[in-house]
Amino acid sequence: MLTYKKGEWCEIIVSSEWDGKTIDDIVKEEWKVPKKLLHEYRMQKSIQINGEYRRWTDTLQEGDKLQVHMFIEEEYGVTPEYQDVEIIYEDDHLLIVNKPYGMDTHPSEKGGTHTLANGVAYHLQANGIFAKVRHIHRLDKDTTGGVVFAKHSLAGAVMDRLLMERNIKRRYIALVEGKVNQKKGIINKPIGRDRHHSTRRRVSPTGDSAVTRFYVSEYFSKQNVSLVHLELETGRTHQIRVHMSDIGYPLVGDKLYGGQTTLLNRQALHAEEITMLHPITKEKVEVSVPLPSDLFALLGKLK
């Protein structure tokens, strides 16, 4: 699907897949636009065909130009702050950034700074883009790797739904203590708050459903450390850290969940790959996120 940014409008060249569909079909079935945003589109006449306002029941033909008022100027919502942000993927609709170690994804209070969201706001500002900074998911402060941001409200709404439906796949790489007995497995254990510790989570029968898939790619016998790749089916706080600790293999450097090994001064966890369908074009987006220098160096030593 070809899309073009034309000022505040997005122009989509209708492909054969959309031939015969109506505007109503596109917004409700293809994009599943939330009711509030649908209402805004109707009231503000935010959708045109070939430069004309048309009824939403009118059909599209291959080659038509479907125009949507997507790129509306907004406040960033966070203070732009210069950072050397590492962009992994970017187009008019979304942004994937490699979050460094020791940085929160977004501020915990209004006016907060020194977070990834502040750096993204600066990046947008430097490129003349005035859009609210919308993170689709988060990473722990000391976890590195890919974080997805939406660049307008429609992309945000679609990707929020994709995440909820578990259709944004996130793969992580971790170093854990010990030799993991199973080559691969699924950890299906609910996670809740630890009433004895304000920031900890724990496996709890009354917690929220949490599912983690893993497979072991290497074991370093000298240091008694395993290299594990993991995929989240749910996105609970500290999910991988809690699950791996619960089955007896805490992450290297993760003191909060019982990690003893001091090979790294943080938990050895990195979001290495993100796979999803593009929120507007539905084309497959698959990105690999480079390892940070500390984890890269440690892996080199282990090998």
Side-chain angles (χ1 to χ4, degrees), residues 74 76 131-136 148-154 156-157:
E74 303 170 289
Y76 295 114
K132 183 179 177 182
V133 177
R134 297 173 170 88
H135 64 277
I136 302 304
V148 181
F149 290 84
K151 293 171 78 173
H152 54 79
S153 59
L154 177 58

Side-chain angles (χ1 to χ4, degrees), residues 287-298:
V287 297
S288 295
V289 186
L291 289 171
S293 57
D294 62 346
L295 196 50
F296 182 81
L298 175 55

Side-chain angles (χ1 to χ4, degrees), residues 32 38 51 82 84 94 104 168 191-192 201 203 207 234:
K32 297 186 173 83
L38 270 180
Y82 174 75
D84 189 15
L94 68 130
D104 286 319
I168 296 180
I191 292 174
R201 299 293 190 273
V203 166
T234 52

Side-chain angles (χ1 to χ4, degrees), residues 118-135:
N118 298 108
V120 167
Y122 185 92
H123 169 78
L124 295 175
Q125 186 182 66
N127 287 279
I129 300 167
F130 301 95
K132 183 179 177 182
V133 177
R134 297 173 170 88
H135 64 277

Side-chain angles (χ1 to χ4, degrees), residues 44-236:
Q44 296 168 14
K45 295 186 174 178
S46 298
I47 300 179
Q48 301 179 4
I49 301 176
N50 301 325
E52 297 178 354
Y53 296 112
R54 302 270 285 276
R55 292 175 303 175
W56 281 26
T57 52
D58 287 353
T59 56
L60 300 165
Q61 294 183 331
E62 185 175 356
D64 278 347
K65 295 174 181 176
L66 177 68
Q67 291 132 342
V68 184
H69 194 202
M70 282 185 194
F71 309 112
I72 302 161
E73 289 196 5
E74 303 170 289
E75 297 289 332
Y76 295 114
V78 295
T79 305
E81 176 185 38
Y82 174 75
Q83 294 170 17
D84 189 15
V85 174
E86 185 181 359
I87 307 298
I88 304 300
Y89 176 94
E90 182 173 19
D91 61 22
D92 292 330
H93 310 281
L94 68 130
L95 185 65
I96 302 176
V97 183
N98 191 359
K99 189 186 85 64
Y101 152 71
M103 179 181 284
D104 286 319
T105 302
H106 61 89
S108 58
E109 56 189 35
K110 191 172 182 181
T113 54
H114 308 308
T115 75
L116 187 64
N118 298 108
V120 167
Y122 185 92
H123 169 78
L124 295 175
Q125 186 182 66
N127 287 279
I129 300 167
F130 301 95
K132 183 179 177 182
V133 177
R134 297 173 170 88
H135 64 277
I136 302 304
H137 60 104
R138 296 176 294 177
L139 290 177
D140 296 342
K141 184 174 183 175
D142 292 342
T143 299
T144 57
V147 178
V148 181
F149 290 84
K151 293 171 78 173
H152 54 79
S153 59
L154 177 58
V158 173
M159 289 194 291
D160 282 343
R161 175 178 54 79
L162 290 175
L163 187 70
M164 188 175 67
E165 294 173 350
R166 305 175 184 177
N167 286 323
I168 296 180
K169 304 295 183 186
R170 293 162 288 162
R171 192 175 76 180
Y172 292 74
I173 185 171
L175 287 167
V176 303
E177 296 183 2
K179 184 176 184 179
V180 182
N181 293 325
Q182 290 176 262
K183 183 71 176 175
K184 61 180 179 179
I186 299 172
I187 308 169
N188 186 350
K189 297 185 177 186
I191 292 174
R193 291 184 176 275
D194 186 334
R195 65 178 183 273
H196 302 297
H197 196 297
S198 60
T199 57
R200 274 177 59 108
R201 299 293 190 273
R202 66 185 182 92
V203 166
S204 165
T206 59
D208 296 317
S209 169
V211 181
T212 305
R213 295 178 179 270
F214 70 88
Y215 71 90
V216 181
S217 62
E218 205 160 348
Y219 173 62
F220 306 104
S221 57
K222 186 177 178 182
Q223 296 85 2
N224 191 29
V225 167
S226 298
L227 181 64
V228 184
H229 300 271
L230 310 104
E231 291 184 8
L232 297 180
E233 290 198 7
T234 52
R236 307 303 173 203

Side-chain angles (χ1 to χ4, degrees), residues 243-254:
H243 272 171
M244 293 309 294
S245 176
D246 185 74
I247 64 170
Y249 309 104
L251 271 61
V252 167
D254 191 0

